[in-house]
Amino acid sequence: MTLRLDAASPEPPFAQLRAQLTAQIGDGTLRPGDRLPTVRALADELGIAPNTVARAYRELEDDGLLVGRGRAGTFVTDPETSRGSSDDHAAAERAAAAYAEAVHALGLDPREALTVVRRALGV
């Protein structure tokens, strides 16, 4: 993976980084499952602030091209297996929070609450 930032470009560094990573994912240089450098490592390599890399990664996650897996790292997604937009995931998170609140209000045991969810999902 080769990334270069042009300090003379009117395009901000995060946008340059985002565009280059998008292109490399699109042309197969970066393939599904590839792990990207950590935010700090890439920032050090490019001589930019970690927040700049973090913003590019975050926007690529929002685009569905990357997935962050906490301490495991940031990976290129597989467009064949990744489903739903970040909006869908955010809506699911809100629904789960509302369900958890209702479960607590009903005094239901968390294990039973998970059984109810599994049954509803058919798993």
Side-chain angles (χ1 to χ4, degrees), residues 110-122:
R111 288 181 299 260
E112 180 59 28
L114 290 173
T115 300
V116 171
V117 169
R118 286 187 190 99
R119 209 174 305 131
L121 291 171

Side-chain angles (χ1 to χ4, degrees), residues 28-89:
T29 302
L30 289 171
R31 301 172 53 134
D34 283 352
R35 183 175 185 216
L36 273 62
T38 65
V39 166
R40 186 166 306 282
L42 187 55
D44 287 347
E45 180 181 324
L46 296 173
I48 58 177
N51 285 341
T52 302
V53 175
R55 180 173 177 184
Y57 278 14
R58 190 172 47 252
E59 290 190 11
L60 289 166
E61 283 185 50
D62 290 345
D63 293 342
L65 297 175
L66 299 180
V67 61
R69 296 185 185 141
R71 290 186 174 260
T74 301
F75 298 84
V76 177
T77 59
D78 184 348
E80 299 298 316
T81 60
S82 64
R83 289 184 261 171
S85 69
S86 61
D87 289 341
D88 294 339
H89 292 284

